[in-house]
Every structure is written in C-alpha cells, then in structure tokens.
Amino acid sequence: MNSEKIKRLCVDSMLAALCAVLGFFAIDLGNFKFTLETFPVILGAILFGPADGFLIAFVGNFISQLIHYGLTATTLVWIAPHVAAGFVVGLYARQQNFDLSRGKTIVIALIGEIIVTLLNTGAMYIDAKFYGYYSFAYIFGATTMRVVVCLVKGAVYGVVLYPVVAAVKKVVHR
C-alpha cells in the first residue's frame, strides 16, 4: 500500500472517530437533536469522494448508535441519513474533480445538511411507527426549527470547510 493510500485511510479513520465523538456532544430534545457529526462526513466526502464519505458516515454513526442505543431493528435507518449525505457530497466533489470554489463548497454543505435533515425526519417516522410511539406532532412538530438549524449549519459548514479542505489537502497530498 502506498503512502497516499495510508494517509487517506488514516484521515478517514480519524474523521469516522470524530463523527462518533461529535455524536456524544449533542443537544437532544426528543424530536430535535442538534449535533455536529455531519461535519467530518462532509469533509471526508469533499476530500476523497463518495466511497469515503459513505464509509466515514457508516463507521462513525454505527459506533455512535451502538454506544448510545445498542443494536436495534432501526439502527441502519438512523445511520442512513449521514451515509446518504456523505455519498451525495462525495459524488459532487468527484464530479467537480475535487476542486470546489467557496460558493460550491457552501452549496454542497447545504445540500448535505438538507439530506440529513429530511432523511432523519423519515428515520424518526419509521422508528416511531416500528416502536409504536408515533404522533404527527412529535414527528413533524419541530420541522420548521430543524430546517432553520439545518440551513444555518450547512452555511456555516460550507464557510468553515473551504479553508479546512485546502489545509488537509496540503497534508494528505505531500
């Protein structure tokens, strides 16, 4: 294995670990959860593409889910939003030859957060139906707040990611 692949694997591993750790520092209000665990997923996807975004999200969120809730019938449903975001962001980055302007970085970070927010709402719906705690107010009552937070987080991620991606590229591609 060449040194660039080893560096990439190390960065992916650190980002997956960061994703898992950031899952612990969440504000959880039942039907609203504020967390920063999408940041390392989007970073890895922008740096290395869809497979890496997928794996960072899967490993990081799987570890976080196992520690928080154990293995349940809906574990994969809860992992899917971040996995989908990592994959989509990575596809876009690869399509752009991993050369994203500040504006494109902000847009793709926003899209990643929108994917997570929409699919998390779907995951909450599936989980609630499966475990019998469904109520329309619980699932959709905080939708406006979740969408506003999603848009703010996506914009902030995009602004912060642009210089972070440039800095990490310098280290990884030496």
Side-chain angles (χ1 to χ4, degrees):
M1 194 180 278
N2 67 30
S3 66
E4 189 156 325
K5 285 184 181 179
I6 293 170
K7 286 179 186 178
R8 182 175 173 170
L9 181 61
C10 289
V11 172
D12 282 354
S13 299
M14 288 187 292
L15 291 173
L18 182 59
C19 178
V21 169
L22 289 173
F24 285 99
F25 299 103
I27 299 168
D28 194 350
L29 305 172
N31 64 348
F32 176 78
K33 181 178 177 184
F34 178 83
T35 180
L36 301 175
E37 62 194 315
T38 310
F39 186 84
V41 172
I42 294 174
L43 174 59
I46 289 173
L47 286 168
F48 304 121
D52 295 72
F54 180 101
L55 289 171
I56 291 164
F58 185 86
V59 171
N61 279 275
F62 186 72
I63 291 168
S64 182
Q65 285 289 316
L66 283 180
I67 292 170
H68 278 109
Y69 309 105
L71 189 59
T72 70
T74 58
T75 297
L76 293 179
V77 172
W78 287 106
I79 294 170
H82 289 92
V83 168
F87 189 77
V88 170
V89 170
L91 278 176
Y92 181 75
R94 185 173 67 195
Q95 190 263 338
Q96 297 293 314
N97 294 317
F98 303 99
D99 186 27
L100 280 74
S101 66
R102 183 179 308 272
K104 288 180 180 179
T105 303
I106 293 168
V107 168
I108 197 59
L110 278 164
I111 290 169
E113 272 299 310
I114 290 167
I115 290 168
V116 169
T117 300
L118 292 175
L119 293 180
N120 268 340
T121 302
M124 205 172 7
Y125 175 82
I126 292 168
D127 192 76
K129 285 291 196 174
F130 188 82
Y131 288 109
Y133 65 89
Y134 176 80
S135 101
F136 184 86
Y138 180 77
I139 303 302
F140 300 104
T143 300
T144 302
M145 183 170 65
R146 285 200 307 262
V147 168
V148 168
V149 169
C150 146
L151 295 174
V152 170
K153 277 176 41 180
V156 170
Y157 283 176
V159 169
V160 172
L161 278 166
Y162 186 72
V164 170
V165 167
V168 175
K169 276 184 180 180
K170 286 179 185 176
V171 172
V172 173
H173 298 299
R174 277 200 251 178

